[in-house]
Amino acid sequence: MNSNGVVEWAVVESDIGPLLLAATDAGLVSVVFHARPAVRDRALAQLRTRLGAEPVESPGSARLAEPIRQFAAYFAGTLRDFSLDLDWSLTSGFNRQVLRELSAGVPYGAVAGYGDLAERVGQPGAAQAVGAAMGSNPLPVVVPCHRVVERDGGLGGFGGGLETKRRLLALEGVLPEPLF
């Protein structure tokens, strides 16, 4: 067992499909897109391995109540800033540094380039490494890797798929809503 003890999880519906939310004593530890059974089972196996704890499904958990409430408010357009305790134990080193900077420094409705973010953490020229950090983000949406885009205006990659990234940016008013 790791120091976090129990990992509690639930799958919640959202405008971008089912999301798996998992939390430890320390806070929200994982957000997984497209959490249909096969994806969910793979994510739970990874949590079990990486955190050394057996994930327990508990949609009514006190630990998940606030994350679930804030996600619902975010998708309803009434919440711009998540204020959740986060458990950063699934990321470390450069990736954690970049993700913390993203979390603190790129607000709702704004975007940043991969290169900008590299400069902000004192690693100019590390744009590709920033891309890798975004890809490994264990807390997407809350730690808003969808707000990191290419300098030429391209969307860049996204773990949840480009359609998901587009929808999150449209929700935040960065991109026009698609017409159909």
Side-chain angles (χ1 to χ4, degrees):
M1 272 308 217
N2 72 341
S3 58
N4 292 321
V6 180
V7 180
E8 293 179 330
W9 65 274
V11 172
V12 297
E13 284 306 317
S14 80
D15 292 10
I16 54 170
L19 297 173
L20 182 146
L21 306 181
T24 64
D25 287 339
L28 191 66
V29 71
S30 179
V31 175
V32 179
F33 292 116
H34 314 305
R36 290 170 199 89
V39 171
R40 182 196 67 210
D41 293 349
R42 198 162 54 241
L44 293 172
Q46 284 179 331
L47 286 171
R48 192 177 295 119
T49 303
R50 300 209 33 210
L51 297 173
E54 185 56 41
V56 179
E57 184 173 14
S58 40
S61 144
R63 199 183 274 184
L64 289 168
E66 195 53 21
I68 289 170
R69 189 193 71 73
Q70 289 193 26
F71 268 88
Y74 172 80
F75 285 110
T78 57
L79 179 90
R80 290 174 161 238
D81 292 305
F82 286 92
S83 53
L84 296 170
D85 290 330
L86 301 179
D87 178 338
W88 293 92
S89 59
L90 294 176
T91 182
S92 60
F94 178 77
N95 288 3
R96 183 185 294 189
Q97 192 186 358
V98 169
L99 292 169
R100 282 183 175 266
E101 174 56 37
L102 170 64
S103 187
V106 185
Y108 186 99
V111 292
Y114 294 95
D116 300 333
L117 219 44
E119 279 173 34
R120 290 189 200 189
V121 296
Q123 300 284 334
Q128 276 187 314
V130 166
M134 296 303 112
S136 74
N137 180 6
L139 293 161
V141 184
V142 179
V143 177
C145 53
H146 59 278
R147 296 181 192 150
V148 182
V149 296
E150 291 173 349
R151 180 168 289 157
D152 63 9
L155 283 179
F158 192 61
L162 288 183
E163 184 52 34
T164 300
K165 185 170 190 171
R166 206 173 275 119
R167 289 178 72 172
L168 290 168
L169 290 171
L171 172 73
E172 296 187 4
V174 175
L175 287 177
E177 283 286 358
L179 296 176
F180 47 82

